[in-house]
Amino acid sequence: MIVVDGRTDREKLFELLKSGGECSELDFKETLDFSKKIDELDFVKDAVSMCNRYPGGYIVIGVDDDGNPSARAEDTNWTQFDGAVLTDKIRKYVQAPLTAISQLHEVDGHTYCLVCLLSLEDGLLVPFSKLGQTVDGKGRQIVVFREGEIVRRDGAQNRPIEYTQWAEILKQHDACVRKDESKRMDTLVDNIIAVLGEKGKTPPLVYGMDEEALVHSLEACFEQKENEKLSRFIFQVAAEFHDDADAINGLAGIGPMPLAIATTRYLRRRRMLSTTATPQLMIVRRILPQKA
């Protein structure tokens, strides 16, 4: 079984050469010469077909159909197999971000090029966006692929899509949609939790809350030592007013009872106050700026 993992290193090359021959995820080529239009078009068709079968596959250049070094590869121009060059050739004929990853290897005096072609993450198939056509040595037109045609790797061949294959094809797309939706829901939940209070530590603390909710929020902030959140709240309240005097009045206006009640509850839980103590105003005056 071929594992399409995006690797193009030497160990991956050895793994593919020992895999037993061509299959849906692996294609062997003795040589390619992109100065010949037919070789370029054949490569593009093979590459797109392989990308259209999730998760993609590999092309090894420089070997025969059994994975053995090919003598025909000796005069190959290996510089033409740069990944960026291959990607440009593919994208001339499709309107999708298909990418070729390539790497050259020298093994026992023989050169190989390993090309990895990964499917699109959404699992959707890619049609050709223009005609792939050239002429043979006798001037006859040869059509390698047509605009709108969708081909897919099937064993060691490229075949047009059949109706019976769509359920399998769309299965990956559906899985991708579910994965994206799960990520979106996780983000939404994280945002909700954050709004409800610093990743769940404390509930919201905003200007304009009713007294009961404010007491609960302040109490939680004291309990969790949310000093930064308390500071932001005070600055938020202060920002609602035009000058310092109004801000002081406003801060005092939200209490002192909510602040005092929350503080008293917190201190009593910590056994820092007796149940009969009433230090509310003293505590609030130390927390809030008071009008002179």
Side-chain angles (χ1 to χ4, degrees):
M1 178 181 177
I2 304 297
V3 177
V4 184
D5 51 14
R7 290 170 49 210
T8 57
D9 53 61
R10 190 182 182 91
E11 289 71 24
K12 190 67 179 184
L13 174 65
F14 292 155
E15 173 190 323
L16 296 174
L17 293 177
K18 296 176 182 178
S19 65
E22 295 182 318
C23 59
S24 295
E25 297 84 13
L26 180 60
D27 186 19
F28 291 147
K29 294 190 178 297
E30 293 189 83
T31 188
L32 284 172
D33 182 0
F34 289 153
S35 66
K36 300 175 182 178
K37 190 67 174 180
I38 188 64
D39 279 16
E40 177 182 326
L41 294 177
D42 283 342
F43 169 77
V44 170
K45 185 173 184 177
D46 290 336
V48 174
S49 297
M50 195 160 278
C51 288
N52 277 341
R53 187 179 188 96
Y54 192 88
Y58 290 93
I59 296 176
V60 181
I61 305 168
V63 297
D64 61 22
D65 290 344
D66 297 318
N68 300 312
S70 171
R72 292 183 57 197
E74 291 180 1
D75 297 326
T76 300
N77 175 15
W78 296 103
T79 61
Q80 64 185 331
F81 302 128
D82 177 76
V85 173
L86 298 179
T87 297
D88 287 343
K89 291 185 180 299
I90 295 169
R91 293 188 183 183
K92 282 198 310 185
Y93 295 96
V94 298
Q95 295 179 339
L98 300 183
T99 301
I101 306 167
S102 67
Q103 188 170 349
L104 295 177
H105 298 282
E106 289 282 345
V107 180
D108 297 330
H110 188 80
T111 303
Y112 302 86
C113 181
L114 177 54
V115 183
C116 179
L117 299 147
L118 299 176
S119 304
L120 297 178
E121 288 189 7
D122 60 15
L124 293 179
L125 303 188
V126 179
F128 292 107
S129 59
K130 62 173 67 174
L131 179 67
Q133 180 177 278
T134 187
V135 295
D136 63 14
K138 297 181 179 181
R140 294 174 297 191
Q141 294 290 330
I142 300 175
V143 176
V144 180
F145 49 83
R146 300 180 184 278
E147 181 180 0
E149 186 179 9
I150 302 177
V151 291
R152 185 171 181 249
R153 183 84 172 169
D154 186 5
Q157 297 181 328
N158 303 320
R159 297 180 182 277
I161 292 299
E162 298 177 1
Y163 172 78
T164 56
Q165 296 174 320
W166 278 108
E168 175 194 345
I169 292 166
L170 293 177
K171 183 178 180 180
Q172 172 57 30
H173 178 257
D174 292 344
C176 182
V177 170
R178 288 193 295 271
K179 183 178 179 181
D180 287 346
E181 186 65 14
S182 177
K183 288 181 179 178
R184 191 185 71 83
M185 291 302 298
D186 287 344
T187 300
L188 179 60
V189 169
D190 285 345
N191 289 339
I192 291 173
I193 291 174
V195 170
L196 290 177
E198 303 295 325
K199 295 290 182 182
K201 290 170 67 176
T202 54
L205 184 60
V206 294
Y207 179 70
M209 299 173 68
D210 63 70
E211 185 170 304
E212 182 178 353
L214 182 57
V215 168
H216 175 69
S217 296
L218 288 168
E219 186 178 6
C221 286
F222 290 146
E223 181 72 31
Q224 298 292 338
K225 297 181 173 60
E226 290 281 3
N227 297 332
E228 183 178 347
K229 190 171 184 177
L230 287 165
S231 297
R232 288 200 306 267
F233 171 66
I234 291 175
F235 282 123
Q236 180 189 31
V237 175
E240 296 290 327
F241 302 94
H242 297 295
D243 56 47
D244 291 345
D246 289 339
I248 292 172
N249 289 331
L251 286 167
I254 65 170
M257 290 311 299
L259 280 167
I261 294 171
T263 306
T264 302
R265 288 179 182 175
Y266 171 70
L267 294 176
R268 282 176 177 166
R269 279 203 306 275
R270 298 297 182 188
R271 300 183 183 278
M272 295 171 66
L273 290 177
S274 68
T275 56
T276 58
T278 57
Q280 289 95 329
L281 290 178
M282 179 185 69
I283 294 171
V284 171
R285 283 169 183 159
R286 294 184 65 180
I287 295 176
L288 292 178
Q290 294 295 310
K291 194 172 182 180

